[in-house]
Amino acid sequence: MPLVCLSSPEGIEALCSDLGVDYTDVRILMLAWKLKAEKQGYFTQDEWQTGLKALGVDSLTKLKKALPELEKEVEEPSNYEDFYIYAFQYCLTEEKQKSVDIESICELLNLVLGVQFRPQVDSLVEYLKVQNDYKVINADQWINFLRFCKEISFPDLENYDATQAWPLILDNFVEWMREKQS
Amino acid sequence: MSAQKKKAFQIEAFKHRVVVDPKYAEKTWKILEHAIHEIYNHNASGLSFEELYRNAYNMVLHKFGEKLYSGLVTTMTSHLKAISSSIEAAQGGLFLDELNRKWAEHNKAMQMIRDILMYMDRTFIPNTHKTPVHELGLNLWRDVVIHSSAVQTRLQAILLENVRRERSGEVIDRGLMRSISKMLMDLGPSVYQDDFEKHFLEVSADFYRLESQDFIESCDCGEYLKKAERRLNEEIERVSHYLDAKSEVKITNVVEKEMIENHMHRLVQMENSGLVNMIVDEKYEDLGRMYCLFRRVPNGLVLVRDVMTSYIRDTGKQLVTDPERLKDPVDFVQHLLDLKDKYDKIITSAFSNDKTFQNALNSSFEYFMNLNSRSPEFISLFVDDKLRKGLRGVTEEDVELVLDKVMMLFRYLQEKDVFEKYYKQHLAKRLLSGKTVSEDAERSLIVKLKTECGYQFTSKLEGMFTDMKTSQDTMQGFSARHGADIADGPMLSVQVLTTGSWPTQPITTCNLPAEIRGMCEKFRNYYLGTHTGRRLSWQTNMGTADLKATFGKGQKHELNVSTYQMCVLMLFNNADRLSYKEIEQPTEIPASDLKRCLQSLACVKGKNVLRKEPMSKDIADTDTFLFNDKFTSKFFKVKIGTVAAQRESEPENQETRQRVEEDRKPQIEAAIVRIMKARRVLDHNNIVAEVTKQLQSRFLPNPVVIKKRIESLIEREFLERDKGDRKLYRYLA
C-alpha cells in the first residue's frame, strides 16, 4: 500500500479521484470522521495510518470496497450523532472559531442530512437563505437541527412546541413554515 | 341480742280486685260529655272543675280510660263538624273572621277540657301512646275544620286574594291575617306550607313575572330598580306583619328571581339608562341600588362588574390611543387621574367599597395604560410639571395627596424601568436649573419610589441630590479661597456631577468665551487640588448663563440663556453682524445644536434678541445674524434658554426605547444566571416564569428576548442543554 502523503488538499483530491469519489462526496467526510481528522482538507500521516488500521484495509482498492461498510457504520444510531457533530466541528477552520457561516451550513446540511431528511433540509436551507436574524450558526443551533429532523413531524409540524427549549432560530423557522402553508 | 332490721312502714294495695260497676262508668262519662257540650256552648261557668276532674280521674283509675278517650274524640269531632258548617256558611269577607273567632273559642275550650282531663293526659295517654289532649284538639281542628274540602279551598283562595289586593294598593285586615297564619303554624309547619305558603309562593311568582314584564317595557333602568326595591321591601314588611318569619327568605327569593335575575342582562345593558349611562352620569343612588339588588342574585355582581370592566377598558383604550389627547402629556395624565378618582368614588359610595370591584378597576387601568408605550414618559412629565410649578404654594398635605395619586398610576406601569430613565432625565434638568418648587416634595417622591421598588431604583437619584449639596459646599470653599481675585469677573456657579448617577450625556465641543474660560480653569485647579485622581469635563450642553444686555434705545434686560446661547451672544460684543459660518467657527458648537440655538435666539417672537437675514423660519448655512437693537420686552428678565423637559420627538423616543432594550439585556441575563445558579437544572417554561417574576417590579420581559439571552449564555458557556433531556438547561459552574 503506497504511503500516500496526504498532507495537502491536492493530495486528498488525488485520493478522491483514485477512489472514484467526488471531493464533495459525503463519504470523504465519513472517512475524515473515521480517521478522526482534525483539520479540514488534510489527513496527517498518523491519522491516515491509524484510520486505515481501524478500517482493516491496506490498499486503495480495499479502501474503495470498504466505503459502503463505512457508510453503514456511520448510519448506526449510536454513531450518527457523533458524526453529525463532527461534521460541524470539521468546518471550524480558524482558531477560536465557534460558528459557521450560513452558506457553508446550507451545504453541510445538504451533505449530511440530505439523504435521510430531504424535505426538512430543503425547507430549512430555503429559510436560512431568506432570513437575516442570524449570519452564522453555532454548535448549539447545529445539534438542534438534527434533533428537529428526528423528533418533529414534517411538514405539518404538529408536535412542535415553541415554549419548549428549542433555539429561537427554529421557532422562527416554524413560524415561517406555518405562514407559508396558510 | 341482735339489732333488728327496722322495716319501713308499708302500705299495701288491696290484694283483691276492685270491680266497679260498668254502669258507673257510663254515668260518669255522661257527666263529662255533658260538660264538654256546655263548654262548647259557652256555658262553662256553671260547671264545677273539681267535680269534673274527679270524675275523669275515677274513670281512668278504674280502667275506663279507653272509654273516656274515645268518647272525647267522638264528642269533639261532632262539635267541630258543626263549627265547620257554620264557618262554611259565612259570607264573603266574614269567612275569615268567623274562622278566626271559632278558632279562638276552640282553643279556650281545649284549655278547659285539658285541665279537666289532666290525669288522663298524664297517665293513660302516655301509657297507651295515644295523642295528648292538646295535640288531639289541634289535629281534630285541622282534619275536621281546616281540611274539610269547602273550608280548605275557600281559605286558601281568600288568603291569596287578600295578598293580591294588598299588592295592588288596597288596605286589608293585617291582624286577622296574622291570626290565621299563626293558626296554620300552630297546626304544624307542614299545614302552613301545604295549605298556604306553597300556593302563596307560586301565585307571587306569577304576579311578579307579569309585573316585571310590564315594568321592563315601560320603565328605564333606574325607575325599574326603584320599583323592584319597593316590592322587595313590601314583601319583607308583609312577612314581618302577618306571615311566618321563615317565609321571608322564600318570598324574597321569588321577587329576586322574577324581577331581577330574569331581567338582569336587559337592565344592565338598557340603552340610555343602563349601567354605563349611570356611570357616565354619576348616578350614585341608582348605582348603589343596582349593587344592593344585584348582590342578591347569583352572578348579579359578576355581570355588573364585567360590564363595568369592559367599559373602563374601552374608554381607557380610546383615551390612550387618541392622538389629540396625547399632544399634551400633562393634560393626559391629569385625565387619567380624574378618571381614577371618578371610578374610586363610584366604588366607595355606590358599591360599598367592594374589593372585587377595586381589583377589576386596577386590572383595567393596568391593561389600558400599558397599551401606550409612552405612558411612563408622560407620567414623568406630569410629575415634572407639578414639581416645577404645579405645586407652588400648595400645602404639605395636598402635595402628599398629589404624589400618592401619581404613585397609584405608577404602580400600574409594566415598564417601570422606562419611567426611571425619563424621571432621571427630568430630575436632572430640574436640579440643574434650580427649578424645583420644593425639595421636600422631591425627596418625598423619592421615598415613595424607594418603598415601592426598592433601594436600587432610587440610589442613583439620591446620588443626584447628594451631588447638588456637595457642589454647594465646593462652591463655598471656592469663593472662600479665591474670593478676592474673582470678584471682578463673571460670577461662576459650578455643579459637579458624579458620572454614574446622572443621565449620560454625550460630550460636545464648545469654545467658551475667554472671560469664562479663565474662571473655569481656576475652578478646575481648585477642585483637582482637593480631589486628586478625578477627571472633570465641562458639560457645555447643560449649563445656563445670565447676561446683562443693553439694546438700541438703552433698554436694559437680563437674559437667561443656555451656555451655547451665551457663547453665540458674546460674539456680538465685538461685531454687530455675523454670518452662520462666522459663528460656527469660533464656537465649534455641533451643527444641529447650533441651529437650534440660533433658532431660539432669532426666530421666536418676544425673544428675538438677534435678527436673521433672510427672515425664513429655518436656519441655513448661508444665513446672516444681526444684533437686534430694536428688541423690546415688557419683562426685565427674559428667559430664552429651553431647559424645561419636553415630550420627546419620535426619533428621540425611538432612541430612548433602544437604550432601554439594551439595558434590559444584562438584567435578564443576570436574572437567568441567578436562577440557574440556585436551581442547577431547569426547563424552559420555568426559567421564563421565574425570570418574569424576578423582573416584574421593573418591566415585563419578552419571552423571545429571554430565549435569545439563554442562547447567548449557552454560547458563552454559562449554561448548557442537558445531555439526557434536551428540554432542560443546566448551570455550568
Side-chain angles (χ1 to χ4, degrees), chain B residues 60-75:
Chain B
V60 174
L61 191 66
H62 294 123
K63 312 275 186 245
F64 288 105
E66 187 59 52
K67 184 174 173 63
L68 177 59
Y69 191 85
S70 53
L72 174 67
V73 174
T74 317
T75 317

PDB file of all heavy atoms in Angstrom, chain B residues 60-75:
ATOM      1  N   VAL B  60    -110.356   6.959  84.811  1.00  0.00           N
ATOM      2  CA  VAL B  60    -109.048   6.441  84.444  1.00  0.00           C
ATOM      3  C   VAL B  60    -108.568   5.435  85.477  1.00  0.00           C
ATOM      4  O   VAL B  60    -108.050   4.365  85.137  1.00  0.00           O
ATOM      5  CB  VAL B  60    -108.029   7.589  84.311  1.00  0.00           C
ATOM      6  CG1 VAL B  60    -106.616   7.046  84.063  1.00  0.00           C
ATOM      7  CG2 VAL B  60    -108.405   8.517  83.175  1.00  0.00           C
ATOM      8  N   LEU B  61    -108.789   5.804  86.708  1.00  0.00           N
ATOM      9  CA  LEU B  61    -108.321   4.948  87.785  1.00  0.00           C
ATOM     10  C   LEU B  61    -108.955   3.565  87.706  1.00  0.00           C
ATOM     11  O   LEU B  61    -108.300   2.550  87.931  1.00  0.00           O
ATOM     12  CB  LEU B  61    -108.687   5.613  89.122  1.00  0.00           C
ATOM     13  CG  LEU B  61    -108.049   4.978  90.361  1.00  0.00           C
ATOM     14  CD1 LEU B  61    -106.529   5.168  90.318  1.00  0.00           C
ATOM     15  CD2 LEU B  61    -108.621   5.618  91.624  1.00  0.00           C
ATOM     16  N   HIS B  62    -110.228   3.569  87.380  1.00  0.00           N
ATOM     17  CA  HIS B  62    -110.955   2.287  87.317  1.00  0.00           C
ATOM     18  C   HIS B  62    -110.906   1.667  85.943  1.00  0.00           C
ATOM     19  O   HIS B  62    -111.767   0.909  85.546  1.00  0.00           O
ATOM     20  CB  HIS B  62    -112.405   2.490  87.771  1.00  0.00           C
ATOM     21  CG  HIS B  62    -112.478   2.871  89.218  1.00  0.00           C
ATOM     22  ND1 HIS B  62    -113.080   4.029  89.647  1.00  0.00           N
ATOM     23  CD2 HIS B  62    -111.967   2.271  90.326  1.00  0.00           C
ATOM     24  CE1 HIS B  62    -112.983   4.106  90.980  1.00  0.00           C
ATOM     25  NE2 HIS B  62    -112.291   3.053  91.418  1.00  0.00           N
ATOM     26  N   LYS B  63    -109.926   1.974  85.224  1.00  0.00           N
ATOM     27  CA  LYS B  63    -109.616   1.357  83.944  1.00  0.00           C
ATOM     28  C   LYS B  63    -110.608   1.666  82.848  1.00  0.00           C
ATOM     29  O   LYS B  63    -110.852   0.850  81.960  1.00  0.00           O
ATOM     30  CB  LYS B  63    -109.472  -0.192  84.091  1.00  0.00           C
ATOM     31  CG  LYS B  63    -108.589  -0.640  85.251  1.00  0.00           C
ATOM     32  CD  LYS B  63    -107.113  -0.659  84.855  1.00  0.00           C
ATOM     33  CE  LYS B  63    -106.309  -1.255  86.016  1.00  0.00           C
ATOM     34  NZ  LYS B  63    -105.407  -0.233  86.581  1.00  0.00           N
ATOM     35  N   PHE B  64    -111.197   2.827  82.915  1.00  0.00           N
ATOM     36  CA  PHE B  64    -112.108   3.199  81.830  1.00  0.00           C
ATOM     37  C   PHE B  64    -111.531   4.323  80.976  1.00  0.00           C
ATOM     38  O   PHE B  64    -112.263   5.047  80.307  1.00  0.00           O
ATOM     39  CB  PHE B  64    -113.465   3.600  82.406  1.00  0.00           C
ATOM     40  CG  PHE B  64    -114.240   2.414  82.931  1.00  0.00           C
ATOM     41  CD1 PHE B  64    -114.341   2.200  84.319  1.00  0.00           C
ATOM     42  CD2 PHE B  64    -114.821   1.505  82.064  1.00  0.00           C
ATOM     43  CE1 PHE B  64    -115.055   1.096  84.787  1.00  0.00           C
ATOM     44  CE2 PHE B  64    -115.504   0.409  82.550  1.00  0.00           C
ATOM     45  CZ  PHE B  64    -115.635   0.200  83.910  1.00  0.00           C
ATOM     46  N   GLY B  65    -110.233   4.422  80.981  1.00  0.00           N
ATOM     47  CA  GLY B  65    -109.562   5.462  80.210  1.00  0.00           C
ATOM     48  C   GLY B  65    -109.879   5.396  78.736  1.00  0.00           C
ATOM     49  O   GLY B  65    -110.094   6.428  78.073  1.00  0.00           O
ATOM     50  N   GLU B  66    -109.971   4.185  78.239  1.00  0.00           N
ATOM     51  CA  GLU B  66    -110.276   3.995  76.815  1.00  0.00           C
ATOM     52  C   GLU B  66    -111.629   4.601  76.473  1.00  0.00           C
ATOM     53  O   GLU B  66    -111.783   5.304  75.469  1.00  0.00           O
ATOM     54  CB  GLU B  66    -110.270   2.497  76.519  1.00  0.00           C
ATOM     55  CG  GLU B  66    -110.419   2.171  75.029  1.00  0.00           C
ATOM     56  CD  GLU B  66    -109.313   2.770  74.160  1.00  0.00           C
ATOM     57  OE1 GLU B  66    -108.136   2.568  74.462  1.00  0.00           O
ATOM     58  OE2 GLU B  66    -109.647   3.493  73.163  1.00  0.00           O
ATOM     59  N   LYS B  67    -112.564   4.323  77.299  1.00  0.00           N
ATOM     60  CA  LYS B  67    -113.909   4.836  77.060  1.00  0.00           C
ATOM     61  C   LYS B  67    -113.888   6.362  77.077  1.00  0.00           C
ATOM     62  O   LYS B  67    -114.512   7.019  76.246  1.00  0.00           O
ATOM     63  CB  LYS B  67    -114.843   4.305  78.148  1.00  0.00           C
ATOM     64  CG  LYS B  67    -116.291   4.718  77.931  1.00  0.00           C
ATOM     65  CD  LYS B  67    -117.196   4.038  78.963  1.00  0.00           C
ATOM     66  CE  LYS B  67    -118.617   4.593  78.839  1.00  0.00           C
ATOM     67  NZ  LYS B  67    -119.229   4.297  77.541  1.00  0.00           N
ATOM     68  N   LEU B  68    -113.182   6.883  78.055  1.00  0.00           N
ATOM     69  CA  LEU B  68    -113.106   8.332  78.187  1.00  0.00           C
ATOM     70  C   LEU B  68    -112.484   8.964  76.940  1.00  0.00           C
ATOM     71  O   LEU B  68    -113.002   9.929  76.372  1.00  0.00           O
ATOM     72  CB  LEU B  68    -112.268   8.687  79.440  1.00  0.00           C
ATOM     73  CG  LEU B  68    -112.032  10.186  79.685  1.00  0.00           C
ATOM     74  CD1 LEU B  68    -113.357  10.931  79.846  1.00  0.00           C
ATOM     75  CD2 LEU B  68    -111.160  10.373  80.933  1.00  0.00           C
ATOM     76  N   TYR B  69    -111.392   8.360  76.538  1.00  0.00           N
ATOM     77  CA  TYR B  69    -110.660   8.916  75.401  1.00  0.00           C
ATOM     78  C   TYR B  69    -111.485   8.870  74.130  1.00  0.00           C
ATOM     79  O   TYR B  69    -111.623   9.870  73.419  1.00  0.00           O
ATOM     80  CB  TYR B  69    -109.345   8.167  75.216  1.00  0.00           C
ATOM     81  CG  TYR B  69    -108.413   8.855  74.238  1.00  0.00           C
ATOM     82  CD1 TYR B  69    -107.557   9.875  74.665  1.00  0.00           C
ATOM     83  CD2 TYR B  69    -108.413   8.486  72.881  1.00  0.00           C
ATOM     84  CE1 TYR B  69    -106.720  10.513  73.764  1.00  0.00           C
ATOM     85  CE2 TYR B  69    -107.563   9.131  71.994  1.00  0.00           C
ATOM     86  CZ  TYR B  69    -106.720  10.132  72.430  1.00  0.00           C
ATOM     87  OH  TYR B  69    -105.884  10.762  71.540  1.00  0.00           O
ATOM     88  N   SER B  70    -112.010   7.735  73.846  1.00  0.00           N
ATOM     89  CA  SER B  70    -112.781   7.633  72.589  1.00  0.00           C
ATOM     90  C   SER B  70    -114.025   8.488  72.648  1.00  0.00           C
ATOM     91  O   SER B  70    -114.440   9.076  71.632  1.00  0.00           O
ATOM     92  CB  SER B  70    -113.124   6.176  72.262  1.00  0.00           C
ATOM     93  OG  SER B  70    -113.758   5.579  73.379  1.00  0.00           O
ATOM     94  N   GLY B  71    -114.589   8.598  73.817  1.00  0.00           N
ATOM     95  CA  GLY B  71    -115.732   9.483  73.970  1.00  0.00           C
ATOM     96  C   GLY B  71    -115.351  10.910  73.674  1.00  0.00           C
ATOM     97  O   GLY B  71    -116.064  11.675  72.994  1.00  0.00           O
ATOM     98  N   LEU B  72    -114.233  11.300  74.194  1.00  0.00           N
ATOM     99  CA  LEU B  72    -113.718  12.651  73.943  1.00  0.00           C
ATOM    100  C   LEU B  72    -113.597  12.902  72.453  1.00  0.00           C
ATOM    101  O   LEU B  72    -114.064  13.929  71.920  1.00  0.00           O
ATOM    102  CB  LEU B  72    -112.353  12.815  74.628  1.00  0.00           C
ATOM    103  CG  LEU B  72    -111.612  14.133  74.333  1.00  0.00           C
ATOM    104  CD1 LEU B  72    -112.349  15.317  74.937  1.00  0.00           C
ATOM    105  CD2 LEU B  72    -110.182  14.069  74.857  1.00  0.00           C
ATOM    106  N   VAL B  73    -112.963  11.958  71.783  1.00  0.00           N
ATOM    107  CA  VAL B  73    -112.753  12.106  70.343  1.00  0.00           C
ATOM    108  C   VAL B  73    -114.083  12.285  69.624  1.00  0.00           C
ATOM    109  O   VAL B  73    -114.274  13.205  68.825  1.00  0.00           O
ATOM    110  CB  VAL B  73    -111.999  10.887  69.772  1.00  0.00           C
ATOM    111  CG1 VAL B  73    -111.919  10.976  68.253  1.00  0.00           C
ATOM    112  CG2 VAL B  73    -110.589  10.802  70.358  1.00  0.00           C
ATOM    113  N   THR B  74    -115.028  11.388  69.940  1.00  0.00           N
ATOM    114  CA  THR B  74    -116.325  11.442  69.260  1.00  0.00           C
ATOM    115  C   THR B  74    -117.032  12.753  69.507  1.00  0.00           C
ATOM    116  O   THR B  74    -117.524  13.405  68.568  1.00  0.00           O
ATOM    117  CB  THR B  74    -117.234  10.312  69.768  1.00  0.00           C
ATOM    118  OG1 THR B  74    -116.466   9.114  69.873  1.00  0.00           O
ATOM    119  CG2 THR B  74    -118.401  10.094  68.813  1.00  0.00           C
ATOM    120  N   THR B  75    -117.050  13.147  70.775  1.00  0.00           N
ATOM    121  CA  THR B  75    -117.763  14.377  71.113  1.00  0.00           C
ATOM    122  C   THR B  75    -117.163  15.584  70.421  1.00  0.00           C
ATOM    123  O   THR B  75    -117.858  16.425  69.832  1.00  0.00           O
ATOM    124  CB  THR B  75    -117.706  14.609  72.632  1.00  0.00           C
ATOM    125  OG1 THR B  75    -117.941  13.381  73.306  1.00  0.00           O
ATOM    126  CG2 THR B  75    -118.691  15.651  73.062  1.00  0.00           C
TER     127      THR B  75
END
